[in-house]
Amino acid sequence: MLKPLSQVQMDTITLWYLVQHSLSSFYKLEQHFGSIHNAVQPESIPLWSGLGLHKNHLQRAQQFYTPAEQHRFQSILQEIQQHSDFVLSYHDPEYPRQLLPYSDKPPILFGQGQLAQLMQPQIAIVGSRKPSPHGRQIAYDFSYYLSEKGFVISSGLAQGIDEAAHQGALPHQRTLAVMGTGLDQTYPSQHQQLRQQIVQQSGTIITEFLPHTPPLQHHFPRRNRMVSALSLGVIVAEASLNSGSIITAKLAAEQGKLVFAIPGHIYSEFHQGCHQLIREGAILVDHPEQVLEDLALPTQWQAQQQSLDESPTSSLSAKPEIPEHLMPLYNQLDWTGAALDHLAIHLQQDAATLTAQLMELELLGLCMQQSGVYLRCRPIQ
């Protein structure tokens, strides 16, 4: 059940609604007024006109405090309450740390299912909407293998490779779907059952888009950039030269992510996009274990995970629970590492307190220090 929205979340939703999902306008207004709260105050609205914003945003803001627009906005809030299990502003401690370094991060996320999935290591699998049977099987097999190893498989809920990737991870209850619409609808509509399965089997659905947002074409590159940003690496399972997954791969490379491409027959049009990516520097893989090797995840975490997998008595109850006072710190850690000063700034705590808490997490086997940064070393399952 969705917790009551905080004032920061309410202000963020308000501004996000007024600028109609425009990232540039949102962050320009936040910077100009010093905070999101200041930007949406009635006395601030007349000042928007001097900031070079789109005329639609100005008109929407000028009409916002009229009874008709307030009624419409309240309807949006009711939809959020109805369809969301969680809402995260980028100021919230639970907001995924993977997204924070990017200037185009979504200011707010709406989600269904397990919030904890966002805090676990993710690997994205993307590809053609019209794959060959061979490509669909490969996506399923890679997803099944990697999710069995403890990784959340993220994709975009599209037809084809995305669908196979989600299905491959469902048996291990580790998949995350990023949508290009509001949570009140499913696109494509024939994936309604798949979407329900994801939520029912401890998966997660997220979107940056407000309710009543249709599946517009320009929303899908935005969805794809979030799929790659959340993940440690992106696997392109099968793609033609004009596949949208090629754009996802290039976005991932710009974000500094590792891009993996699975090769195929040289005369197959289904694989030409993957071959092009390999020529441009993507890593050729033909077995999912190679992905784990190239990601070079902390060896301590891999050893712990292997011992858990091989232990006949291992169970969810055997894994340590995180004390409540350590949760904010644990939520700030990820699989690539965070420096102590970075953690101190985000958590607004002194170094001595953080050092003591990090030591507690290390003793629980949930954190490790490597090359001067602190990393997670075991996922919560």
Side-chain angles (χ1 to χ4, degrees):
M1 184 177 178
L2 181 64
K3 293 188 291 188
L5 296 173
S6 68
Q7 186 61 54
V8 172
Q9 290 171 341
M10 279 293 300
D11 292 336
T12 304
I13 292 169
T14 301
L15 187 55
W16 198 224
Y17 171 81
L18 291 176
V19 300
Q20 300 168 281
H21 305 117
S22 169
L23 289 161
S24 59
S25 295
F26 183 96
Y27 289 117
K28 179 185 286 187
L29 285 161
E30 182 186 25
Q31 183 177 15
H32 179 82
F33 289 102
S35 72
I36 299 169
H37 180 74
N38 292 341
V40 297
Q41 296 308 301
E43 61 270 21
S44 299
I45 299 300
L47 304 177
W48 284 29
S49 58
L51 299 178
L53 303 177
H54 194 283
K55 63 179 182 180
N56 287 350
H57 302 161
L58 297 176
Q59 183 178 6
R60 197 176 179 94
Q62 289 162 1
Q63 297 174 351
F64 180 64
Y65 288 100
T66 63
E69 276 301 303
Q70 282 294 299
H71 178 76
R72 184 179 175 188
F73 182 63
Q74 289 301 318
S75 174
I76 295 288
L77 293 177
Q78 289 173 6
E79 292 273 5
I80 291 171
Q81 294 280 351
Q82 178 182 346
H83 296 288
S84 305
D85 294 326
F86 59 87
V87 173
L88 298 175
S89 157
Y90 85 92
H91 294 93
D92 293 329
E94 298 87 359
Y95 185 90
R97 280 198 68 253
Q98 310 96 292
L99 300 178
L100 290 175
Y102 303 111
S103 59
D104 63 349
K105 60 184 172 293
I108 195 148
L109 296 173
F110 307 98
Q112 291 178 338
Q114 299 300 312
L115 172 59
Q117 293 265 30
L118 290 172
M119 305 168 195
Q120 297 184 16
Q122 299 172 36
I123 296 174
I125 298 180
V126 299
S128 173
R129 283 181 169 83
K130 297 179 180 179
S132 67
H134 173 72
R136 185 184 291 272
Q137 186 64 53
I138 284 176
Y140 182 96
D141 291 345
F142 267 63
S143 176
Y144 186 96
Y145 184 98
L146 293 169
S147 61
E148 187 177 38
K149 290 293 183 182
F151 297 91
V152 174
I153 303 302
S154 55
S155 200
L157 201 68
Q159 292 175 292
I161 295 298
D162 288 18
E163 178 184 8
H166 291 307
Q167 289 171 336
L170 279 176
H172 303 119
Q173 301 184 332
R174 296 189 186 97
T175 192
L176 182 145
V178 183
M179 294 176 52
T181 67
L183 286 179
D184 58 313
Q185 52 197 293
T186 302
Y187 182 83
S189 58
Q190 57 265 42
H191 280 180
Q192 181 62 35
Q193 183 177 357
L194 173 61
R195 174 181 173 175
Q196 290 172 351
Q197 286 179 313
I198 291 172
V199 174
Q200 290 166 359
Q201 294 181 230
S202 300
T204 312
I205 308 284
I206 60 169
T207 183
E208 65 186 293
F209 297 109
L210 291 161
H212 304 310
T213 303
L216 301 177
Q217 186 174 359
H218 64 274
H219 289 171
F220 296 101
R222 290 179 57 161
R223 174 203 64 186
N224 295 347
R225 92 4 181 133
M226 186 152 62
V227 169
S228 61
L230 284 166
S231 305
L232 293 165
V234 176
I235 302 169
V236 183
E238 184 179 271
S240 59
L241 283 173
N242 61 355
S243 171
S245 55
I246 303 300
I247 299 173
T248 307
K250 292 181 177 178
L251 286 170
E254 291 172 3
Q255 293 168 342
K257 307 288 182 176
L258 287 183
V259 178
F260 304 92
I262 300 172
H265 196 288
I266 62 170
Y267 293 123
S268 168
E269 65 180 67
F270 292 105
H271 297 94
Q272 293 304 307
C274 288
H275 296 163
Q276 177 69 30
L277 289 173
I278 292 167
R279 286 195 296 275
E280 293 174 354
I283 300 170
L284 185 155
V285 289
D286 56 21
H287 192 284
E289 190 63 34
Q290 297 163 351
V291 175
L292 303 185
E293 293 169 0
D294 282 302
L295 286 171
L297 296 170
T299 53
Q300 181 180 335
W301 177 81
Q302 289 178 316
Q304 289 174 339
Q305 182 63 36
Q306 184 177 4
S307 67
L308 285 171
D309 291 341
E310 293 175 353
S311 171
T313 59
S314 66
S315 66
L316 294 183
S317 61
K319 297 180 177 65
E321 293 186 1
I322 301 178
E324 188 174 344
H325 73 284
L326 297 179
M327 275 304 295
L329 174 57
Y330 185 82
N331 290 343
Q332 286 296 316
L333 297 175
D334 62 14
W335 312 95
T336 56
L340 185 63
D341 58 349
H342 176 91
L343 294 170
I345 291 170
H346 279 274
L347 294 168
Q348 298 183 341
Q349 288 188 354
D350 59 90
T353 301
L354 282 177
T355 302
Q357 291 184 355
L358 286 163
M359 187 174 295
E360 285 187 71
L361 287 174
E362 285 190 67
L363 291 172
L364 289 169
L366 296 166
C367 166
M368 65 183 292
Q369 187 178 5
Q370 190 176 76
S371 304
V373 296
Y374 293 89
L375 310 92
R376 294 187 187 183
C377 55
R378 188 191 298 177
I380 304 174
Q381 299 180 13

